[in-house]
Structures are given as structure tokens and as C-alpha cells.
Amino acid sequence: MTAEVLVVGSANADLVVAADRRPGGGETVLGGDTRVLPGGKGANTAVAAARLGADVALVGAVGDDPHGRLLLDSLRSAGVRTELVRTVDRPTGAAYITVTPDGENSILVSPGANAALRPADIDPAGAKVVAVSMEVPLPTVEHAVTAAAAAGARVVLNLSPVTELAVTTLTTPTTLAGVDLLLVNEHEAALLLGAEDPANIDPAGLLDRGPRSAVVTLGARGALLVTEDGPLEVPAPRVEAVDTTGAGDAFAGALATALATALDTGTEQDHVVELRRAIEWAARVAALSVTRSGAQPSYPTADEVARWSP
Ligand code: ADP
């Protein structure tokens, strides 16, 4: 049986090493011990939604190796259904992350098993919301969006991490016309709009690309909801940030959960009000997650979010 929220996306082992500086070409730098953490945008989004109480399944792929088992364990212990996570004959995807004292991360992603996720793996029938992110092959992303829209699901596309190729391949009005909510951060929005400076974008232009509405996340400043009524700022709760890793994925998982549970009465006015409420809640979820360390381990339950006063 299909879950209410179907997440299509990557599952990666995050291999994190702290170092005084990142190595340049031809150079060797000694770092700290390797920490191996469950990650990947798809797995993170699914875990965030499940912890918030959604009935969620991940459509993904892992290898038959210890990293794959780590990811499956983490998904299952959060309550994510994993029957649609295929085990394939490739190594589990890995993100090699160097963390330096300036707080900057540099990340090399090896897609591995994620590259084996095919359009045929996706059957959105019965899902209320389909949440799609990148780090899986573009034809798979494209098919997930169009098949989900055709099946009557609400589609949230988190265009992250975005590449030039993804922009030219995916942002045809036909693909993005199937998207209810396009989710991007400032840099992704700038790339999509062909703007030089992320601080200087016209967010209304995002709707010209085809989606019904869009959200631009602005880090500690919150998010911008873009609908046919124009842009609307939703501030983030002010918090002492401990670790912002996976904040965008927490936001995406919360949005998908809110949209799956919201009652859509169908009028345009209600559509905008419903989206604003969903984004306010997602901003609370994401802010609470940045007060804790890690990505998946930092994601709160709905009760924790309700009881939390920043
Ligand atoms: P990404 O991680 O994808 O680059 P952002 O940095 O924009 O995305 O963060 C996503 C969301 O997480 C923001 O819209 C905001 O709601 C929340 N968030 C991120 N950083 C903070 C912070 N320092 N304080 C409060 N909320 C934050």
C-alpha cells in the first residue's frame, strides 16, 4: 500500500572529518576521526516527515554494504517505510565532508547506488504528497514529478543541490507545471532565475517557470512564499544555531507533512493561507533542528515542536 507521503531521493552515508584546512591539489592534510552519519536529501526528508508523524515511504537505492545497512536502520527507527528502497549492485552513496574551523563545509558526493534509481521505481498511485529532491538521475526526478501530478498527488520539488544541467533539463514549463510547491534556497533561486546576485532576485519570476507556488528559504532569515498573490515573508524563529546541517531537508519534510494533513478546500484564498501556515510550521521545525547537532538526529517530533518556545 502506498504511503501518504512518498519521498523520492538520495540516501548517502555522510563521512565527516574535521580539519584545520581543506587540502589543495596534490596536498595531504591530517584531520580528525571519521564520523559516519546517515544522510542524503531523500533520506533526511523522509526521516524528518516520519518523526513529525507522517505515514512516509522513501523511494531510493542503497548498496549491499555497511553504509546501506546504517541508512536502512536509521530510516526504520524513525518510522520510514523502506520497502521501496532497493538494494542494488553499487556501493551506497557517500558524501565526503570536510569541516574546517571557519564553519565552511566542502563536500564531494559519490552517488553510487543513487545513480541506479530509475523512473520505473516510482509508482505514486495513492500518495497524497510526493516530495522529490535531487542527487538522483534527472530522468527519475522528471518522471517522479510528471507521474505524481498525473496521479493527482501534490508535488513538492526541492531543487537541491541544483546544477546548470538540472536547470536546463528540468525547468521546462511542462515539467514544472506539475509542481505544486517548488522549494529552493537563495542560491538555487538565483541560478534558476539567471541572476548574478542571490540578494537581488525577483522571486515572482520563479512562477514563470511553471510551478503553482514557490518557497525560497533564507537561512536564519526564514523563507519567502511566492504565490499568484505575490511574495510573502515568513520569518524564522530566532535561535542559537548549533548545527545547520540538514535544515533545508527538515523544512522540506515538514512541508510535505503539513500538506498531506491539511484540508484543502480548493479556493485560491484558502490555498495561500494553508501554504503560509505550512511554512510557519516548517520554519519552527527547521529552527528547532538547528539547535541540535547532526541532520537526522536533530529532527523533532510534532509534540516537541508544539511544546517548544524559542
Ligand atoms: P539550505 O540548508 O537548503 O541551504 P537554508 O539555509 O535556507 O536552506 O535553511 C532552510 C530553512 O531552515 C530556513 O528557511 C529556516 O527556516 C531554517 N533555518 C536555517 N538556518 C537557521 C537559523 N540559523 N535559525 C533559524 N532557522 C534556520
Short mmCIF file of all heavy atoms in Angstrom, two decimals, residues 174-205:
data_model
loop_
_atom_site.label_atom_id
_atom_site.label_comp_id
_atom_site.label_asym_id
_atom_site.label_seq_id
_atom_site.Cartn_x
_atom_site.Cartn_y
_atom_site.Cartn_z
N THR A 174 6.72 22.43 -19.00
CA THR A 174 5.93 21.20 -18.92
C THR A 174 6.28 20.41 -17.67
O THR A 174 5.40 19.87 -17.00
CB THR A 174 6.13 20.29 -20.15
OG1 THR A 174 7.44 20.46 -20.61
CG2 THR A 174 5.12 20.57 -21.23
N THR A 175 7.56 20.30 -17.32
CA THR A 175 7.91 19.55 -16.12
C THR A 175 7.44 20.29 -14.88
O THR A 175 6.75 19.74 -14.03
CB THR A 175 9.44 19.34 -16.01
OG1 THR A 175 9.87 18.67 -17.17
CG2 THR A 175 9.80 18.50 -14.79
N LEU A 176 7.80 21.56 -14.79
CA LEU A 176 7.49 22.28 -13.55
C LEU A 176 6.01 22.61 -13.40
O LEU A 176 5.56 22.94 -12.30
CB LEU A 176 8.35 23.54 -13.43
CG LEU A 176 9.84 23.26 -13.16
CD1 LEU A 176 10.55 24.55 -12.78
CD2 LEU A 176 10.06 22.23 -12.08
N ALA A 177 5.23 22.49 -14.47
CA ALA A 177 3.79 22.71 -14.36
C ALA A 177 3.16 21.67 -13.43
O ALA A 177 2.09 21.90 -12.87
CB ALA A 177 3.13 22.66 -15.72
N GLY A 178 3.81 20.54 -13.25
CA GLY A 178 3.27 19.51 -12.36
C GLY A 178 3.61 19.77 -10.89
O GLY A 178 3.19 19.02 -10.02
N VAL A 179 4.38 20.82 -10.62
CA VAL A 179 4.87 21.06 -9.26
C VAL A 179 3.93 22.03 -8.51
O VAL A 179 3.64 23.11 -9.00
CB VAL A 179 6.31 21.65 -9.31
CG1 VAL A 179 6.77 22.08 -7.94
CG2 VAL A 179 7.26 20.62 -9.91
N ASP A 180 3.44 21.60 -7.35
CA ASP A 180 2.62 22.49 -6.52
C ASP A 180 3.49 23.51 -5.81
O ASP A 180 3.14 24.67 -5.66
CB ASP A 180 1.86 21.69 -5.47
CG ASP A 180 0.66 21.02 -6.08
OD1 ASP A 180 -0.35 21.70 -6.26
OD2 ASP A 180 0.78 19.83 -6.42
N LEU A 181 4.61 23.01 -5.29
CA LEU A 181 5.48 23.85 -4.47
C LEU A 181 6.93 23.58 -4.86
O LEU A 181 7.42 22.46 -4.67
CB LEU A 181 5.24 23.51 -3.00
CG LEU A 181 5.73 24.49 -1.97
CD1 LEU A 181 5.12 25.86 -2.20
CD2 LEU A 181 5.34 24.00 -0.59
N LEU A 182 7.58 24.60 -5.40
CA LEU A 182 9.00 24.49 -5.73
C LEU A 182 9.79 25.05 -4.56
O LEU A 182 9.54 26.18 -4.13
CB LEU A 182 9.28 25.31 -7.00
CG LEU A 182 10.74 25.37 -7.45
CD1 LEU A 182 11.21 24.03 -7.99
CD2 LEU A 182 10.92 26.45 -8.52
N LEU A 183 10.70 24.25 -4.02
CA LEU A 183 11.45 24.67 -2.83
C LEU A 183 12.91 24.87 -3.20
O LEU A 183 13.55 23.94 -3.70
CB LEU A 183 11.29 23.56 -1.77
CG LEU A 183 11.96 23.75 -0.42
CD1 LEU A 183 11.43 24.99 0.28
CD2 LEU A 183 11.70 22.51 0.46
N VAL A 184 13.41 26.09 -2.99
CA VAL A 184 14.80 26.40 -3.33
C VAL A 184 15.41 27.29 -2.24
O VAL A 184 14.67 28.01 -1.56
CB VAL A 184 14.92 27.15 -4.69
CG1 VAL A 184 14.71 26.23 -5.86
CG2 VAL A 184 13.95 28.33 -4.77
N ASN A 185 16.73 27.25 -2.09
CA ASN A 185 17.35 28.27 -1.24
C ASN A 185 17.73 29.46 -2.13
O ASN A 185 17.50 29.44 -3.34
CB ASN A 185 18.52 27.68 -0.42
CG ASN A 185 19.70 27.27 -1.29
OD1 ASN A 185 19.86 27.72 -2.42
ND2 ASN A 185 20.53 26.39 -0.76
N GLU A 186 18.31 30.49 -1.52
CA GLU A 186 18.59 31.72 -2.29
C GLU A 186 19.50 31.48 -3.49
O GLU A 186 19.30 32.06 -4.55
CB GLU A 186 19.33 32.72 -1.39
CG GLU A 186 18.55 33.29 -0.28
CD GLU A 186 19.41 34.19 0.57
OE1 GLU A 186 20.13 33.69 1.47
OE2 GLU A 186 19.38 35.41 0.33
N HIS A 187 20.50 30.62 -3.28
CA HIS A 187 21.48 30.40 -4.35
C HIS A 187 20.84 29.63 -5.50
O HIS A 187 21.07 29.92 -6.68
CB HIS A 187 22.69 29.65 -3.79
CG HIS A 187 23.34 30.41 -2.68
ND1 HIS A 187 24.14 31.51 -2.91
CD2 HIS A 187 23.25 30.28 -1.34
CE1 HIS A 187 24.52 32.02 -1.75
NE2 HIS A 187 23.99 31.28 -0.78
N GLU A 188 20.00 28.65 -5.12
CA GLU A 188 19.30 27.88 -6.16
C GLU A 188 18.32 28.77 -6.92
O GLU A 188 18.18 28.66 -8.14
CB GLU A 188 18.59 26.68 -5.51
CG GLU A 188 19.58 25.65 -4.99
CD GLU A 188 19.13 24.87 -3.76
OE1 GLU A 188 17.98 25.08 -3.30
OE2 GLU A 188 19.93 24.08 -3.25
N ALA A 189 17.65 29.66 -6.19
CA ALA A 189 16.71 30.58 -6.84
C ALA A 189 17.46 31.47 -7.84
O ALA A 189 16.99 31.68 -8.96
CB ALA A 189 16.01 31.44 -5.80
N ALA A 190 18.64 31.96 -7.43
CA ALA A 190 19.41 32.84 -8.32
C ALA A 190 19.83 32.09 -9.59
O ALA A 190 19.71 32.63 -10.70
CB ALA A 190 20.65 33.36 -7.59
N LEU A 191 20.27 30.86 -9.43
CA LEU A 191 20.68 30.07 -10.59
C LEU A 191 19.49 29.84 -11.52
O LEU A 191 19.59 29.97 -12.74
CB LEU A 191 21.26 28.73 -10.11
CG LEU A 191 22.02 27.92 -11.15
CD1 LEU A 191 23.26 28.67 -11.63
CD2 LEU A 191 22.44 26.57 -10.58
N LEU A 192 18.36 29.54 -10.93
CA LEU A 192 17.15 29.28 -11.70
C LEU A 192 16.70 30.52 -12.47
O LEU A 192 16.21 30.42 -13.59
CB LEU A 192 16.06 28.85 -10.71
CG LEU A 192 14.90 28.02 -11.18
CD1 LEU A 192 15.40 26.81 -11.93
CD2 LEU A 192 14.11 27.56 -9.96
N LEU A 193 16.89 31.67 -11.85
CA LEU A 193 16.42 32.92 -12.47
C LEU A 193 17.49 33.57 -13.32
O LEU A 193 17.28 34.64 -13.89
CB LEU A 193 15.97 33.90 -11.37
CG LEU A 193 14.73 33.45 -10.59
CD1 LEU A 193 14.55 34.30 -9.34
CD2 LEU A 193 13.49 33.53 -11.48
N GLY A 194 18.68 32.95 -13.36
CA GLY A 194 19.77 33.53 -14.14
C GLY A 194 20.27 34.84 -13.55
O GLY A 194 20.76 35.71 -14.27
N ALA A 195 20.12 35.01 -12.21
CA ALA A 195 20.56 36.25 -11.56
C ALA A 195 21.99 36.09 -11.06
O ALA A 195 22.37 35.02 -10.59
CB ALA A 195 19.63 36.58 -10.41
N GLU A 196 22.78 37.17 -11.14
CA GLU A 196 24.17 37.13 -10.67
C GLU A 196 24.22 37.09 -9.15
O GLU A 196 25.02 36.39 -8.56
CB GLU A 196 24.90 38.40 -11.12
CG GLU A 196 25.02 38.57 -12.62
CD GLU A 196 26.24 37.85 -13.15
OE1 GLU A 196 27.31 38.05 -12.56
OE2 GLU A 196 26.10 37.09 -14.13
N ASP A 197 23.32 37.87 -8.52
CA ASP A 197 23.42 38.12 -7.09
C ASP A 197 22.17 37.57 -6.38
O ASP A 197 21.06 38.05 -6.60
CB ASP A 197 23.52 39.64 -6.89
CG ASP A 197 23.59 40.01 -5.42
OD1 ASP A 197 23.67 39.09 -4.58
OD2 ASP A 197 23.55 41.22 -5.12
N PRO A 198 22.36 36.56 -5.48
CA PRO A 198 21.20 35.97 -4.79
C PRO A 198 20.41 37.00 -3.98
O PRO A 198 19.22 36.82 -3.74
CB PRO A 198 21.82 34.93 -3.85
CG PRO A 198 23.17 34.65 -4.40
CD PRO A 198 23.62 35.89 -5.11
N ALA A 199 21.09 38.11 -3.57
CA ALA A 199 20.39 39.11 -2.76
C ALA A 199 19.47 39.96 -3.64
O ALA A 199 18.71 40.78 -3.14
CB ALA A 199 21.41 40.00 -2.06
N ASN A 200 19.59 39.79 -4.94
CA ASN A 200 18.90 40.69 -5.86
C ASN A 200 18.05 39.93 -6.88
O ASN A 200 18.22 40.08 -8.08
CB ASN A 200 19.98 41.51 -6.59
CG ASN A 200 19.48 42.89 -6.88
OD1 ASN A 200 18.30 43.17 -6.68
ND2 ASN A 200 20.35 43.74 -7.40
N ILE A 201 17.15 39.09 -6.36
CA ILE A 201 16.33 38.31 -7.30
C ILE A 201 14.88 38.80 -7.25
O ILE A 201 14.44 39.39 -6.27
CB ILE A 201 16.37 36.80 -6.97
CG1 ILE A 201 15.95 36.54 -5.52
CG2 ILE A 201 17.73 36.20 -7.28
CD1 ILE A 201 15.66 35.10 -5.22
N ASP A 202 14.17 38.53 -8.34
CA ASP A 202 12.74 38.82 -8.37
C ASP A 202 12.02 37.47 -8.23
O ASP A 202 11.86 36.74 -9.21
CB ASP A 202 12.37 39.49 -9.70
CG ASP A 202 10.87 39.63 -9.83
OD1 ASP A 202 10.17 39.52 -8.80
OD2 ASP A 202 10.39 39.82 -10.96
N PRO A 203 11.63 37.13 -6.98
CA PRO A 203 11.12 35.77 -6.74
C PRO A 203 9.87 35.43 -7.54
O PRO A 203 9.61 34.27 -7.83
CB PRO A 203 10.83 35.75 -5.24
CG PRO A 203 10.85 37.17 -4.79
CD PRO A 203 11.64 37.95 -5.77
N ALA A 204 9.10 36.47 -7.93
CA ALA A 204 7.88 36.20 -8.72
C ALA A 204 8.23 35.48 -10.02
O ALA A 204 7.42 34.72 -10.55
CB ALA A 204 7.15 37.50 -8.99
N GLY A 205 9.47 35.71 -10.50
CA GLY A 205 9.91 35.07 -11.74
C GLY A 205 9.92 33.55 -11.64
O GLY A 205 9.87 32.85 -12.66
#
